Amino acid sequence: MSERENILGRIREALTLSADVPGHKQNNLLQVVSEEEAAPHIHEWLPAVGETIEDGLALFAKNSAELKTDFRLVDSLEDLNAQITEMASGWKKIATHSGELTDAVGDKLGLPVCSTDEGYEASDLESCDVGITQCDCLVAQTGSVLVTARSAGGRALSVLPPHHIVLAQRSQLLPDLPAAFALLEERYASNYPSFISLITGPSRTGDIERILVLGAHGPKQLTVFCL
Amino acid sequence: MTTPVHQFHTDANRAAQDLQQRAQIQSALSSYETACEARKSAFRDWESARQTAAEIKWDAVNHLDQHLREFADKLESRGTQVHWASNEQQARDIILEIIRSNNAHSIIKSKVMTGEEIHINEALEKAAFDVVESDLGEFIVQLRREAPYHFVFPAMHLKRGEISELFNRELGTALTEDPEELTMIARRVLRDKYITADVGISGANFAIAETGMISITENEGNARLTCALPKVHIALLGIEKVLPRLRDLALFLPMLATAGAGQALTCYNSLYGGPRQPDECDGPEEFHVVLLDNNRTQLLADKQQRDALHCIRCGACLNVCPIYRSIGGHTYGTTYQGPIGSVITPHLRGLQDWKHLSSASSLCGACTQVCPVKIDLHHHLLHNRRNAVIDKPVWREKLQFAIFRSVMNRPKLYRFCVRIGRLMQPLHRLVDGTRLDPARGWTQTRKLPRIAPQTFKDFWRNRK
Ligand code: SF4
């Protein structure tokens, strides 16, 4: 018999005795909130998010400030390009992927580009000063950016260079985590990307005396532009 | 060889007297406590969130066979190789085999507690592979050749000076007192390793049955690099990590971050559902998931303690535990420290050898109160004590209690004993706390109260 069958067999055997549901003295399943009932409630228990898109933007900005994410609302592509050009002084090489927004800025900088679209050398990507990506959505509740292998140019582009710039649109702002997971299901359920990540602030560590240090292994800087 | 209980007592004695270290742990944990309280109060209803989390984990664990089958099938359908290991040895063999068949030499690891459980580093080093921990805390304790002090904060017992000296000695870097510079040293050293490593080994915080994905929570980005750059990715996880649905993460991710580190959400929460797919530009060519039993099914079979498998390893119960704070992480001598370690280690590694951990508790219940999935930890410690005695009665204690019972049931005898005790007590001073003392277990660290000059009954009878 395979080890899989051995283990599953032991599990089935172990589960012949049923265990009490936590918080319920008797094993009375009727009292338990079933998942179908619980799921709609989850968002009611998580931290509050305002009603309007303005509330959402304000909350995202507040969370970004706490997380040390550089969050910038921009009015137009020109504005975006102007701000990125200003940041770019000192950059020697940028990394990016093709996309509606990334194409609109990448070309304008006139710097050598490492594009991840068709694959890349890790050492080449490592030598870039910045990784510019798009995303699936922004989450106001936690100040997070949701990226996938498909939306953000693969797995490493958003983590290997020392600065990660996210280009997003206002319409991509979602209120909370349940909404972000619902979006994933809606967008990808038939064929999920092999990599999905919720990025919440620049890379950090507290492993030395619990003192916060940014840029542990991932980017030291995270900039989120929202058009 | 010293037994676990002997080692525990010696180390506990030493650690409890190391006031400097205790102060460091206290201060690290008190800032955690403030952050954690603030995060909990940001939840609109933390208690309901806990209850739902507990129920979802109950469902996951009590239908574990169905969920695991779904998890494995989904993964396999997208090109992942799923391996099943009943014990440590099998898990090590599977991992070594994958590495050998890929002709790999250098291995980068992100934090994987199950790896500590199966002693994978020792096995890899013995087989002459080059293996490096990439999580900063794990990297530090690996250089010190010591076990993690805490399964969430592995190097919390060290001062920056010690880390600086360690780096100076092992890596030849200049001494510095700046945590940022120390972090950057590790960053520089490890960058090369990611790029040249052939194999990345990670753990997983959750296994999503519905979509066949593992979920990894981290702050540093080391796990993301480990899972992105090497051409082979191996994830090692316990079979209990399952969550039924993807959307369950909307609850579990913020709860894990809140309870574990006082964060709203950990910096990176990443899901991996396969090797690089045809339309993708990077990621490993091979993705292996190793599912480890290692006596978890035995704990599963104990219906009273099954819920200990609901644990999401947030570490909150360690952080609030007065025992952990006094004796520190290494004293436990286990992969999982603190209350949860004391509860599960007897199941994973043998009740009689590890039952002493269940007695190292004040039963204050702080652990139970903070557990985000509502595991009744302090009662489980009592269950372990009970099971240990049923399994192997302690005759001396049995005899003591038999005598106690018979005295308590006979008022005359009781009165006689009290009188004798009162007369004899002054003599006790001669042997107090020494080896000859019959009450040594008590008097070594505590004072024996004086027997009152008269009993209440005497007083009542004699009053005018
Ligand atoms: S037992 Fe509860 S509090 Fe302790 S680590 Fe597990 S989930 Fe966290």
Side-chain angles (χ1 to χ4, degrees), chain A residues 3-4 10 12 17 43 45-46 116 120 126 155 158 160 192 194 196-198 200 203-205 207 209 217-218 220, chain B residues 44 52 65 69 78 86 134 137 160 180 187 191 219-220 224 227 245 267 269-271 273-274 280-282 293 306:
Chain A
E3 221 44 55
R4 170 179 162 131
R10 283 200 296 274
R12 267 191 304 275
L17 293 172
H43 82 272
W45 300 325
L46 295 176
T116 61
Y120 57 88
E126 213 271 330
R155 298 188 184 199
S158 52
L160 196 56
Y192 280 103
S194 73
I196 300 171
S197 191
L198 266 169
T200 311
S203 155
R204 62 197 55 218
T205 185
D207 272 349
E209 292 187 17
H217 290 289
K220 205 179 175 66
Chain B
R44 270 173 288 178
T52 304
D65 51 333
R69 218 177 295 122
R78 309 221 301 149
S86 285
S134 59
R160 59 185 100 175
E180 173 147 10
R187 178 181 170 115
R191 277 271 147 158
N219 272 313
E220 298 181 3
R224 284 193 58 194
C227 307
R245 287 153 299 260
C267 193
N269 284 289
S270 311
L271 288 152
E280 292 172 357
C281 68
D282 62 0
D293 176 350
R306 184 179 296 161

Short mmCIF file of all heavy atoms in Angstrom, two decimals, chain A residues 3-4 10 12 17 43 45-46 116 120 126 155 158 160 192 194 196-198 200 203-205 207 209 217-218 220, chain B residues 44 52 65 69 78 86 134 137 160 180 187 191 219-220 224 227 245 267 269-271 273-274 280-282 293 306:
data_model
loop_
_atom_site.label_atom_id
_atom_site.label_comp_id
_atom_site.label_asym_id
_atom_site.label_seq_id
_atom_site.Cartn_x
_atom_site.Cartn_y
_atom_site.Cartn_z
N GLU A 3 2.20 5.08 0.81
CA GLU A 3 2.23 5.85 2.05
C GLU A 3 1.02 6.76 2.14
O GLU A 3 0.50 7.04 3.21
CB GLU A 3 3.54 6.63 2.11
CG GLU A 3 4.21 6.67 3.44
CD GLU A 3 4.25 5.34 4.17
OE1 GLU A 3 4.76 4.35 3.62
OE2 GLU A 3 3.76 5.30 5.32
N ARG A 4 0.58 7.23 0.97
CA ARG A 4 -0.63 8.07 0.95
C ARG A 4 -1.81 7.31 1.55
O ARG A 4 -2.52 7.81 2.42
CB ARG A 4 -0.92 8.48 -0.50
CG ARG A 4 -2.28 9.15 -0.69
CD ARG A 4 -2.52 9.55 -2.15
NE ARG A 4 -3.93 9.79 -2.39
CZ ARG A 4 -4.43 10.87 -3.02
NH1 ARG A 4 -3.63 11.79 -3.47
NH2 ARG A 4 -5.72 11.01 -3.20
N ARG A 10 -4.96 5.87 8.40
CA ARG A 10 -4.84 6.19 9.82
C ARG A 10 -5.75 7.36 10.20
O ARG A 10 -6.34 7.39 11.28
CB ARG A 10 -3.38 6.54 10.16
CG ARG A 10 -2.47 5.33 10.28
CD ARG A 10 -1.22 5.65 11.08
NE ARG A 10 -0.37 6.64 10.44
CZ ARG A 10 0.57 6.35 9.53
NH1 ARG A 10 0.77 5.09 9.17
NH2 ARG A 10 1.30 7.30 9.01
N ARG A 12 -8.63 8.20 8.71
CA ARG A 12 -10.02 7.76 8.74
C ARG A 12 -10.31 6.98 10.02
O ARG A 12 -11.33 7.18 10.68
CB ARG A 12 -10.33 6.88 7.52
CG ARG A 12 -10.89 7.66 6.35
CD ARG A 12 -11.42 6.73 5.28
NE ARG A 12 -10.41 5.79 4.83
CZ ARG A 12 -9.51 6.07 3.88
NH1 ARG A 12 -9.51 7.25 3.30
NH2 ARG A 12 -8.61 5.18 3.52
N LEU A 17 -14.07 8.32 15.88
CA LEU A 17 -14.62 8.97 17.07
C LEU A 17 -14.73 10.45 16.77
O LEU A 17 -13.77 11.05 16.31
CB LEU A 17 -13.68 8.79 18.27
CG LEU A 17 -13.51 7.37 18.80
CD1 LEU A 17 -12.41 7.34 19.83
CD2 LEU A 17 -14.82 6.88 19.37
N HIS A 43 -16.41 39.49 7.15
CA HIS A 43 -16.03 40.89 6.96
C HIS A 43 -16.59 41.78 8.07
O HIS A 43 -16.07 42.84 8.35
CB HIS A 43 -16.42 41.39 5.57
CG HIS A 43 -17.85 41.80 5.45
ND1 HIS A 43 -18.85 40.94 5.14
CD2 HIS A 43 -18.43 43.01 5.64
CE1 HIS A 43 -20.00 41.59 5.12
NE2 HIS A 43 -19.78 42.84 5.43
N TRP A 45 -16.41 41.09 11.16
CA TRP A 45 -15.57 41.00 12.35
C TRP A 45 -14.22 41.64 12.16
O TRP A 45 -13.57 42.05 13.10
CB TRP A 45 -15.42 39.52 12.74
CG TRP A 45 -16.74 38.91 13.03
CD1 TRP A 45 -17.80 39.54 13.62
CD2 TRP A 45 -17.20 37.60 12.73
NE1 TRP A 45 -18.87 38.71 13.71
CE2 TRP A 45 -18.54 37.51 13.17
CE3 TRP A 45 -16.61 36.49 12.14
CZ2 TRP A 45 -19.28 36.34 13.05
CZ3 TRP A 45 -17.36 35.34 12.03
CH2 TRP A 45 -18.68 35.26 12.46
N LEU A 46 -13.81 41.71 10.92
CA LEU A 46 -12.51 42.31 10.63
C LEU A 46 -12.56 43.83 10.88
O LEU A 46 -13.65 44.39 11.01
CB LEU A 46 -12.14 42.03 9.16
CG LEU A 46 -11.92 40.55 8.82
CD1 LEU A 46 -11.66 40.39 7.34
CD2 LEU A 46 -10.80 39.95 9.64
N THR A 116 10.79 41.05 -17.75
CA THR A 116 10.66 39.66 -17.32
C THR A 116 9.73 38.86 -18.23
O THR A 116 9.54 37.67 -18.02
CB THR A 116 10.14 39.57 -15.88
OG1 THR A 116 8.86 40.19 -15.83
CG2 THR A 116 11.08 40.25 -14.90
N TYR A 120 14.30 35.75 -17.76
CA TYR A 120 15.39 36.69 -17.47
C TYR A 120 16.46 35.94 -16.69
O TYR A 120 16.23 34.84 -16.19
CB TYR A 120 14.86 37.85 -16.63
CG TYR A 120 14.21 37.35 -15.35
CD1 TYR A 120 14.97 37.15 -14.19
CD2 TYR A 120 12.86 37.00 -15.31
CE1 TYR A 120 14.40 36.64 -13.05
CE2 TYR A 120 12.28 36.48 -14.17
CZ TYR A 120 13.06 36.30 -13.03
OH TYR A 120 12.50 35.77 -11.91
N GLU A 126 18.69 41.16 -10.52
CA GLU A 126 19.23 41.58 -9.23
C GLU A 126 19.97 42.91 -9.35
O GLU A 126 20.00 43.71 -8.41
CB GLU A 126 20.17 40.49 -8.70
CG GLU A 126 20.18 40.34 -7.18
CD GLU A 126 21.20 41.22 -6.50
OE1 GLU A 126 22.25 41.52 -7.09
OE2 GLU A 126 20.92 41.63 -5.35
N ARG A 155 7.29 35.95 -10.39
CA ARG A 155 7.45 35.84 -8.94
C ARG A 155 8.48 36.80 -8.36
O ARG A 155 8.32 37.30 -7.26
CB ARG A 155 7.90 34.42 -8.58
CG ARG A 155 6.90 33.35 -8.96
CD ARG A 155 7.32 31.99 -8.39
NE ARG A 155 6.40 30.95 -8.84
CZ ARG A 155 6.27 29.77 -8.26
NH1 ARG A 155 7.01 29.46 -7.22
NH2 ARG A 155 5.41 28.88 -8.72
N SER A 158 8.82 41.60 -8.27
CA SER A 158 8.33 42.48 -7.20
C SER A 158 9.07 42.27 -5.88
O SER A 158 8.73 42.88 -4.88
CB SER A 158 6.83 42.25 -7.00
OG SER A 158 6.56 40.87 -6.83
N LEU A 160 12.87 41.07 -5.84
CA LEU A 160 14.33 41.04 -5.92
C LEU A 160 14.99 42.43 -5.96
O LEU A 160 15.92 42.69 -5.21
CB LEU A 160 14.76 40.17 -7.12
CG LEU A 160 16.21 39.70 -7.15
CD1 LEU A 160 16.61 38.95 -5.90
CD2 LEU A 160 16.46 38.81 -8.38
N TYR A 192 -5.81 29.15 -11.78
CA TYR A 192 -5.08 30.09 -10.93
C TYR A 192 -3.62 30.23 -11.38
O TYR A 192 -3.00 29.24 -11.80
CB TYR A 192 -5.09 29.60 -9.48
CG TYR A 192 -6.37 29.90 -8.74
CD1 TYR A 192 -7.32 28.90 -8.52
CD2 TYR A 192 -6.62 31.17 -8.25
CE1 TYR A 192 -8.49 29.17 -7.83
CE2 TYR A 192 -7.79 31.44 -7.56
CZ TYR A 192 -8.72 30.45 -7.35
OH TYR A 192 -9.87 30.71 -6.67
N SER A 194 0.36 30.33 -10.61
CA SER A 194 1.04 29.47 -9.63
C SER A 194 1.56 30.28 -8.45
O SER A 194 2.00 29.75 -7.46
CB SER A 194 2.20 28.73 -10.28
OG SER A 194 3.27 29.62 -10.54
N ILE A 196 0.65 33.84 -6.02
CA ILE A 196 -0.22 34.95 -5.65
C ILE A 196 0.36 35.53 -4.36
O ILE A 196 0.76 34.78 -3.48
CB ILE A 196 -1.66 34.44 -5.33
CG1 ILE A 196 -2.27 33.75 -6.55
CG2 ILE A 196 -2.55 35.58 -4.83
CD1 ILE A 196 -3.59 33.03 -6.26
N SER A 197 0.44 36.85 -4.25
CA SER A 197 0.97 37.38 -2.99
C SER A 197 0.28 38.67 -2.58
O SER A 197 -0.03 39.51 -3.42
CB SER A 197 2.47 37.62 -3.10
OG SER A 197 3.01 37.89 -1.82
N LEU A 198 0.00 38.78 -1.29
CA LEU A 198 -0.49 40.02 -0.72
C LEU A 198 0.71 40.73 -0.11
O LEU A 198 1.29 40.22 0.85
CB LEU A 198 -1.49 39.71 0.40
CG LEU A 198 -2.96 39.67 0.09
CD1 LEU A 198 -3.70 39.09 1.29
CD2 LEU A 198 -3.52 41.04 -0.25
N THR A 200 2.24 43.74 1.92
CA THR A 200 1.79 44.74 2.87
C THR A 200 3.00 45.50 3.40
O THR A 200 3.60 45.12 4.39
CB THR A 200 0.99 44.06 4.01
OG1 THR A 200 0.02 43.18 3.43
CG2 THR A 200 0.29 45.08 4.88
N SER A 203 9.62 45.16 2.69
CA SER A 203 10.17 44.04 3.45
C SER A 203 10.71 44.53 4.79
O SER A 203 11.26 45.63 4.89
CB SER A 203 11.30 43.42 2.62
OG SER A 203 12.22 42.76 3.44
N ARG A 204 10.54 43.70 5.83
CA ARG A 204 10.95 44.15 7.17
C ARG A 204 11.36 42.98 8.03
O ARG A 204 11.04 41.83 7.75
CB ARG A 204 9.80 44.90 7.84
CG ARG A 204 8.55 44.01 8.04
CD ARG A 204 7.32 44.82 8.31
NE ARG A 204 7.12 45.79 7.25
CZ ARG A 204 6.68 47.04 7.46
NH1 ARG A 204 6.36 47.45 8.65
NH2 ARG A 204 6.53 47.86 6.43
N THR A 205 12.07 43.28 9.11
CA THR A 205 12.38 42.24 10.08
C THR A 205 12.45 42.85 11.46
O THR A 205 12.70 44.04 11.62
CB THR A 205 13.71 41.53 9.77
OG1 THR A 205 13.88 40.45 10.70
CG2 THR A 205 14.89 42.47 9.90
N ASP A 207 13.98 40.71 13.81
CA ASP A 207 14.67 39.57 14.42
C ASP A 207 15.83 39.97 15.32
O ASP A 207 16.32 39.15 16.09
CB ASP A 207 15.16 38.61 13.32
CG ASP A 207 14.07 37.59 12.98
OD1 ASP A 207 13.08 37.53 13.72
OD2 ASP A 207 14.21 36.87 11.97
N GLU A 209 16.64 42.02 18.40
CA GLU A 209 16.05 42.72 19.55
C GLU A 209 14.66 43.29 19.27
O GLU A 209 14.27 44.28 19.86
CB GLU A 209 16.99 43.82 20.04
CG GLU A 209 18.27 43.28 20.66
CD GLU A 209 19.12 44.37 21.30
OE1 GLU A 209 18.60 45.47 21.54
OE2 GLU A 209 20.31 44.12 21.53
N HIS A 217 15.14 41.20 3.18
CA HIS A 217 15.59 40.48 1.98
C HIS A 217 14.90 41.01 0.74
O HIS A 217 15.42 40.95 -0.35
CB HIS A 217 15.31 38.98 2.11
CG HIS A 217 16.18 38.33 3.13
ND1 HIS A 217 17.51 38.13 2.94
CD2 HIS A 217 15.89 37.86 4.36
CE1 HIS A 217 18.03 37.56 4.00
NE2 HIS A 217 17.07 37.38 4.89
N GLY A 218 13.70 41.51 0.92
CA GLY A 218 12.95 42.07 -0.20
C GLY A 218 13.23 43.56 -0.29
O GLY A 218 14.20 44.06 0.28
N LYS A 220 13.47 47.50 0.09
CA LYS A 220 13.52 48.41 1.22
C LYS A 220 12.47 49.49 1.04
O LYS A 220 12.03 50.11 1.98
CB LYS A 220 14.91 49.05 1.20
CG LYS A 220 15.41 49.54 2.50
CD LYS A 220 16.82 50.12 2.27
CE LYS A 220 17.36 50.76 3.51
NZ LYS A 220 17.61 49.82 4.57
N ARG B 44 -13.54 44.47 14.59
CA ARG B 44 -14.84 44.87 15.10
C ARG B 44 -15.34 43.83 16.09
O ARG B 44 -16.06 44.14 17.03
CB ARG B 44 -15.84 45.04 13.96
CG ARG B 44 -15.81 46.46 13.44
CD ARG B 44 -16.65 46.62 12.22
NE ARG B 44 -16.01 45.98 11.07
CZ ARG B 44 -16.55 45.94 9.86
NH1 ARG B 44 -17.73 46.48 9.65
NH2 ARG B 44 -15.91 45.37 8.86
N THR B 52 -15.23 31.65 14.89
CA THR B 52 -15.33 31.16 13.51
C THR B 52 -14.04 30.45 13.10
O THR B 52 -14.08 29.39 12.47
CB THR B 52 -15.60 32.32 12.53
OG1 THR B 52 -16.76 32.98 12.98
CG2 THR B 52 -15.82 31.81 11.13
N ASP B 65 -9.17 13.72 6.05
CA ASP B 65 -8.89 12.83 4.91
C ASP B 65 -9.45 13.41 3.61
O ASP B 65 -8.76 13.45 2.59
CB ASP B 65 -9.40 11.42 5.17
CG ASP B 65 -10.85 11.39 5.61
OD1 ASP B 65 -11.32 12.40 6.19
OD2 ASP B 65 -11.54 10.38 5.37
N ARG B 69 -7.04 14.81 0.54
CA ARG B 69 -7.14 14.19 -0.78
C ARG B 69 -7.38 15.26 -1.84
O ARG B 69 -6.73 15.29 -2.89
CB ARG B 69 -8.25 13.14 -0.79
CG ARG B 69 -7.85 11.94 -1.63
CD ARG B 69 -8.87 10.83 -1.63
NE ARG B 69 -9.05 10.21 -0.34
CZ ARG B 69 -10.22 10.14 0.30
NH1 ARG B 69 -11.31 10.67 -0.23
NH2 ARG B 69 -10.30 9.55 1.46
N ARG B 78 -1.82 20.08 -11.44
CA ARG B 78 -1.12 21.20 -12.05
C ARG B 78 0.39 21.02 -12.02
O ARG B 78 1.16 21.97 -12.04
CB ARG B 78 -1.52 22.50 -11.37
CG ARG B 78 -3.05 22.63 -11.30
CD ARG B 78 -3.54 23.99 -11.58
NE ARG B 78 -3.00 24.96 -10.65
CZ ARG B 78 -2.77 26.21 -10.97
NH1 ARG B 78 -2.97 26.63 -12.19
NH2 ARG B 78 -2.31 27.04 -10.07
N SER B 86 5.27 9.16 6.59
CA SER B 86 4.67 8.77 7.86
C SER B 86 5.53 9.19 9.04
O SER B 86 5.03 9.41 10.13
CB SER B 86 4.46 7.25 7.92
OG SER B 86 3.37 6.90 7.12
N SER B 134 17.63 31.27 5.46
CA SER B 134 17.57 32.62 4.92
C SER B 134 16.79 33.59 5.80
O SER B 134 16.99 34.79 5.73
CB SER B 134 16.97 32.60 3.52
OG SER B 134 15.69 32.05 3.55
N GLY B 137 16.51 35.55 11.64
CA GLY B 137 16.63 34.91 12.95
C GLY B 137 17.18 33.49 12.84
O GLY B 137 18.05 33.08 13.61
N ARG B 160 22.19 42.64 20.32
CA ARG B 160 22.84 42.99 19.05
C ARG B 160 24.36 42.80 19.12
O ARG B 160 24.98 42.42 18.15
CB ARG B 160 22.47 44.41 18.64
CG ARG B 160 22.84 45.45 19.67
CD ARG B 160 22.33 46.79 19.25
NE ARG B 160 21.09 47.10 19.96
CZ ARG B 160 20.47 48.26 19.84
NH1 ARG B 160 20.92 49.18 19.04
NH2 ARG B 160 19.37 48.50 20.51
N GLU B 180 20.26 47.77 11.85
CA GLU B 180 20.07 47.90 10.41
C GLU B 180 21.30 47.39 9.65
O GLU B 180 21.18 46.63 8.69
CB GLU B 180 19.80 49.37 10.07
CG GLU B 180 19.77 49.60 8.57
CD GLU B 180 18.81 50.68 8.14
OE1 GLU B 180 18.30 51.40 9.02
OE2 GLU B 180 18.58 50.80 6.92
N ARG B 187 21.67 40.37 4.55
CA ARG B 187 21.08 40.53 3.23
C ARG B 187 22.13 40.30 2.14
O ARG B 187 21.91 39.55 1.19
CB ARG B 187 20.47 41.93 3.09
CG ARG B 187 19.86 42.19 1.72
CD ARG B 187 19.30 43.60 1.61
NE ARG B 187 18.95 43.90 0.23
CZ ARG B 187 17.71 44.13 -0.21
NH1 ARG B 187 16.70 44.08 0.61
NH2 ARG B 187 17.48 44.39 -1.48
N ARG B 191 22.06 37.17 -0.54
CA ARG B 191 21.69 37.47 -1.92
C ARG B 191 22.31 36.48 -2.91
O ARG B 191 21.64 35.90 -3.75
CB ARG B 191 22.14 38.89 -2.29
CG ARG B 191 21.18 39.94 -1.83
CD ARG B 191 20.17 40.17 -2.91
NE ARG B 191 18.88 40.51 -2.34
CZ ARG B 191 17.94 41.15 -3.00
NH1 ARG B 191 18.17 41.55 -4.23
NH2 ARG B 191 16.77 41.37 -2.47
N ASN B 219 7.75 38.17 6.83
CA ASN B 219 7.98 39.60 6.78
C ASN B 219 9.15 40.01 5.91
O ASN B 219 9.22 41.13 5.44
CB ASN B 219 8.26 40.14 8.19
CG ASN B 219 6.98 40.51 8.91
OD1 ASN B 219 6.12 41.18 8.35
ND2 ASN B 219 6.85 40.06 10.14
N GLU B 220 10.11 39.11 5.74
CA GLU B 220 11.38 39.54 5.19
C GLU B 220 11.47 39.46 3.67
O GLU B 220 12.22 40.18 3.05
CB GLU B 220 12.51 38.70 5.81
CG GLU B 220 12.60 38.90 7.31
CD GLU B 220 13.70 38.11 7.96
OE1 GLU B 220 14.47 37.43 7.24
OE2 GLU B 220 13.81 38.15 9.19
N ARG B 224 9.84 34.33 -0.28
CA ARG B 224 9.47 34.62 -1.67
C ARG B 224 10.64 34.36 -2.61
O ARG B 224 10.47 33.82 -3.70
CB ARG B 224 9.00 36.08 -1.81
CG ARG B 224 7.59 36.29 -1.28
CD ARG B 224 7.05 37.64 -1.69
NE ARG B 224 7.04 37.80 -3.14
CZ ARG B 224 6.87 38.96 -3.76
NH1 ARG B 224 6.71 40.05 -3.05
NH2 ARG B 224 6.87 39.02 -5.07
N CYS B 227 11.25 30.67 -3.04
CA CYS B 227 10.27 29.97 -3.88
C CYS B 227 10.28 30.50 -5.31
O CYS B 227 9.52 30.04 -6.15
CB CYS B 227 8.87 30.12 -3.32
SG CYS B 227 8.72 29.63 -1.61
N ARG B 245 -11.11 26.26 2.37
CA ARG B 245 -11.34 27.15 1.22
C ARG B 245 -10.34 28.30 1.16
O ARG B 245 -9.84 28.76 2.18
CB ARG B 245 -12.75 27.76 1.32
CG ARG B 245 -13.86 26.80 1.01
CD ARG B 245 -15.11 27.24 1.74
NE ARG B 245 -14.84 27.23 3.17
CZ ARG B 245 -15.21 26.24 3.99
NH1 ARG B 245 -15.90 25.24 3.53
NH2 ARG B 245 -14.89 26.27 5.27
N CYS B 267 3.97 41.07 6.26
CA CYS B 267 4.38 41.77 5.05
C CYS B 267 4.07 41.00 3.76
O CYS B 267 3.53 41.54 2.81
CB CYS B 267 5.87 42.07 5.15
SG CYS B 267 6.43 43.21 3.93
N ASN B 269 2.15 37.58 2.27
CA ASN B 269 1.36 36.37 2.40
C ASN B 269 1.23 35.80 1.00
O ASN B 269 0.50 36.34 0.18
CB ASN B 269 -0.01 36.68 2.99
CG ASN B 269 0.06 36.94 4.47
OD1 ASN B 269 0.28 36.03 5.27
ND2 ASN B 269 -0.08 38.20 4.85
N SER B 270 1.98 34.73 0.73
CA SER B 270 2.07 34.26 -0.65
C SER B 270 1.50 32.86 -0.80
O SER B 270 1.64 32.03 0.09
CB SER B 270 3.53 34.25 -1.11
OG SER B 270 4.13 35.48 -0.80
N LEU B 271 0.85 32.65 -1.94
CA LEU B 271 0.27 31.35 -2.25
C LEU B 271 1.02 30.73 -3.42
O LEU B 271 1.32 31.42 -4.40
CB LEU B 271 -1.19 31.54 -2.65
CG LEU B 271 -2.15 31.90 -1.52
CD1 LEU B 271 -3.32 32.71 -2.04
CD2 LEU B 271 -2.66 30.63 -0.84
N GLY B 273 0.80 27.43 -6.02
CA GLY B 273 -0.10 26.37 -6.45
C GLY B 273 0.51 25.44 -7.49
O GLY B 273 -0.19 24.64 -8.09
N GLY B 274 1.81 25.56 -7.70
CA GLY B 274 2.44 24.67 -8.68
C GLY B 274 3.81 25.18 -9.07
O GLY B 274 4.23 26.25 -8.63
N GLU B 280 3.88 31.37 -17.72
CA GLU B 280 4.57 32.20 -16.73
C GLU B 280 6.06 32.33 -17.03
O GLU B 280 6.66 31.46 -17.68
CB GLU B 280 4.35 31.62 -15.32
CG GLU B 280 2.90 31.77 -14.88
CD GLU B 280 2.57 31.06 -13.59
OE1 GLU B 280 3.45 30.37 -13.02
OE2 GLU B 280 1.41 31.18 -13.15
N CYS B 281 6.65 33.44 -16.53
CA CYS B 281 8.02 33.74 -16.93
C CYS B 281 9.07 33.24 -15.94
O CYS B 281 10.24 33.22 -16.24
CB CYS B 281 8.18 35.24 -17.13
SG CYS B 281 8.05 36.17 -15.59
N ASP B 282 8.67 32.89 -14.73
CA ASP B 282 9.67 32.39 -13.78
C ASP B 282 9.02 31.44 -12.79
O ASP B 282 7.84 31.11 -12.90
CB ASP B 282 10.39 33.55 -13.08
CG ASP B 282 9.45 34.43 -12.26
OD1 ASP B 282 8.24 34.15 -12.23
OD2 ASP B 282 9.93 35.40 -11.66
N ASP B 293 3.29 13.17 8.56
CA ASP B 293 2.42 12.71 9.64
C ASP B 293 3.19 12.79 10.97
O ASP B 293 2.91 13.62 11.82
CB ASP B 293 1.93 11.27 9.36
CG ASP B 293 1.09 10.71 10.50
OD1 ASP B 293 1.04 11.33 11.57
OD2 ASP B 293 0.49 9.63 10.33
N ARG B 306 -7.76 16.32 20.20
CA ARG B 306 -7.61 16.51 18.75
C ARG B 306 -7.47 17.98 18.39
O ARG B 306 -6.75 18.34 17.46
CB ARG B 306 -8.83 15.91 18.05
CG ARG B 306 -8.77 15.95 16.55
CD ARG B 306 -10.00 15.29 15.94
NE ARG B 306 -10.07 13.87 16.28
CZ ARG B 306 -11.18 13.14 16.20
NH1 ARG B 306 -12.30 13.70 15.80
NH2 ARG B 306 -11.16 11.86 16.53
#
